[in-house]
Amino acid sequence: MDAALLLNVEGIKKTILHGGLGELPNFITGSRVTFHFRTMKCDEERTVIDDSKQAGQPMHLIIGNMFKLEVWELLLTSMRVREVAEFWCDTIHTGVYPILSRSLRQMAEGKDPTEWHVHTCGLANMFAYHTLGYEDLDELQKEPQPLVFVIELPGQVEAPSEYQRETWNLSNAERMQAVPILHGEGNRLFKLGRYEEASTKYQEAIVCLRNLQTKEKPWEAQWLKLEKMINTLTLNYCQCLLKRAEYYEVLEHTSDILQHHPGIVKAYYVRARAHAEVWNEAEAKADLEKVLELEPAMRKAVRRELRLLESRLEEKREEERLRCQHMLG
């Protein structure tokens, strides 16, 4: 084991466990680094918190893009290919590690980390919950402490042109440029009846906007502009969910929108359709009445939905009548 090396940064010590090959890679902005890591406490047992090899998948980091544990970029850019190194990092560098760890664990368990997504920029979600759902991470969040990272850089660093970039890799300007493209692609796929693919495009656009929104002060002009775009895309996403019979998720999304923005006509209309599909007759009619109140020009569409609702209810009543007759007979 080589002697500890001090990087030219306060609160970091590096120890090379296995030497790498050749010169330092060219870590240009936008390059993708694939690596394995093991995170440990600095106690006598060197308690392991996370291990990417045990989780069964390596980590990816894009150079030059905001990342929840910014120190990792610094550590990685000091390494050569095939190198294994141990880094002691003081508390000033590890305070947000529990947030990152939670996202990684959620994804490894096949759960959707949503707002805790590991690639979400900013720390707006840091105080979203009192607990992270894992006792060891709650302890770390309550009392931040130095951590040890053992990092292995097994292969070459990929230049930006050598891999498929995803929306979470993009700069802020690129995100704003990506949104209308993703929106348009989602609309195209929806018209083709490819609802699952369309919903993915809308979701990617929403993630871009949510990331940008974390940089703005809530309820100010730019934040509200982004919020309006998010609501439009969310309702498009809900249209896909209607086609896929995910009615209760539609109710959740539309109700959330209306709780914060009670004047959005399309949200009432989409929610009314979802209510109708799950036989919430009174709620569906109430939402359609609200649509008429806010937008009288939609009278024709509302009448059509009311006729469809009444027709389906009549069919249901007839089915129940026949079933009762059969049971009595």
Side-chain angles (χ1 to χ4, degrees):
M1 180 184 291
D2 288 3
L5 303 172
L6 279 174
L7 293 176
N8 192 26
V9 177
E10 181 184 355
I12 298 177
K13 293 180 182 178
K14 176 181 177 180
T15 303
I16 297 175
L17 306 180
H18 184 280
L21 303 176
E23 301 297 320
L24 282 174
N26 190 14
F27 294 100
I28 63 172
T29 298
S31 298
R32 181 168 70 175
V33 185
T34 301
F35 62 100
H36 277 291
F37 74 97
R38 183 166 68 255
T39 306
M40 298 178 290
K41 292 183 179 180
C42 295
D43 54 15
E44 289 184 4
E45 296 78 18
R46 288 172 67 89
T47 304
V48 176
I49 301 171
D50 296 299
D51 189 326
S52 64
K53 287 189 175 180
Q54 285 189 0
Q57 55 184 14
M59 276 293 297
H60 302 289
L61 183 145
I62 308 301
I63 300 297
N65 283 264
M66 289 171 287
F67 194 74
K68 280 194 172 175
L69 200 68
E70 296 178 10
V71 70
W72 272 4
E73 180 171 318
L74 184 64
L75 307 184
L76 286 163
T77 53
S78 76
M79 298 180 69
R80 292 171 169 78
V81 173
R82 305 288 291 276
E83 181 177 325
V84 181
E86 180 179 293
F87 299 89
W88 175 90
C89 295
D90 205 354
T91 310
I92 58 172
H93 300 294
T94 63
V96 296
Y97 182 80
I99 307 297
L100 169 64
S101 178
R102 181 190 189 276
S103 295
L104 297 175
R105 293 182 187 186
Q106 292 277 289
M107 289 189 289
E109 293 166 10
K111 299 176 182 177
D112 182 4
T114 57
E115 308 236 344
W116 295 89
H117 196 284
V118 63
H119 306 293
T120 299
C121 299
L123 299 177
N125 300 314
M126 189 169 180
F127 305 105
Y129 301 99
H130 295 297
T131 176
L132 295 173
Y134 302 90
E135 289 185 6
D136 59 337
L137 299 183
D138 286 340
E139 178 189 340
L140 277 179
Q141 183 172 244
K142 186 178 179 180
E143 298 180 12
Q145 56 189 266
L147 295 173
V148 172
F149 301 105
V150 176
I151 297 179
E152 177 184 347
L153 188 61
Q156 296 296 325
V157 175
E158 297 171 277
S161 60
E162 294 174 341
Y163 65 92
Q164 177 73 34
R165 299 189 77 190
E166 299 180 66
T167 52
W168 52 263
N169 297 333
L170 306 178
S171 68
N172 289 348
E174 287 175 318
R175 284 193 180 99
M176 279 304 291
Q177 293 167 359
V179 167
I181 296 170
L182 291 165
H183 192 167
E185 185 66 1
N187 291 349
R188 185 185 71 83
L189 291 164
F190 184 92
K191 290 175 183 176
L192 292 172
R194 292 158 63 180
Y195 304 120
E196 189 168 351
E197 294 171 77
S199 65
T200 298
K201 296 298 179 183
Y202 294 139
Q203 284 178 301
E204 289 180 0
I206 290 166
V207 168
C208 285
L209 292 170
R210 287 287 185 207
N211 288 339
L212 291 168
Q213 202 180 36
T214 62
K215 318 296 188 304
E216 306 297 335
K217 192 171 181 179
W219 304 104
E220 291 198 348
Q222 184 60 22
W223 188 94
L224 286 169
K225 178 183 176 182
L226 294 168
E227 181 79 353
K228 184 177 180 180
M229 296 168 70
I230 289 166
N231 289 336
T232 298
L233 285 158
T234 301
L235 289 170
N236 284 9
Y237 174 64
C238 286
Q239 297 275 29
C240 295
L241 294 176
L242 283 173
K243 294 290 188 181
R244 294 163 56 191
E246 301 285 351
Y247 305 124
Y248 289 101
E249 189 175 346
V250 173
L251 293 175
E252 183 181 337
H253 288 304
T254 50
S255 296
D256 183 65
I257 288 174
L258 290 168
Q259 181 181 351
H260 298 95
H261 308 281
I264 298 180
V265 178
K266 188 176 179 181
Y268 285 108
Y269 184 72
V270 173
R271 188 171 73 173
R273 292 181 61 194
H275 274 310
E277 291 292 343
V278 295
W279 309 107
N280 295 339
E281 180 182 2
E283 291 85 348
K285 288 182 175 178
D287 278 348
L288 290 171
E289 287 172 6
K290 192 69 177 177
V291 170
L292 274 183
E293 176 190 327
L294 295 170
E295 189 59 71
M298 289 190 67
R299 184 173 301 276
K300 186 176 179 180
V302 167
R303 284 176 175 170
R304 183 180 66 244
E305 290 299 326
L306 285 170
R307 284 196 302 269
L308 184 60
L309 174 60
E310 193 55 46
S311 173
R312 293 182 68 249
L313 288 169
E314 183 58 38
E315 288 177 8
K316 185 184 181 187
R317 285 191 286 266
E318 180 63 12
E319 287 175 6
E320 289 175 350
R321 186 180 65 82
L322 291 171
R323 185 163 58 249
C324 287
Q325 282 183 348
H326 181 72
M327 290 172 65
L328 291 171

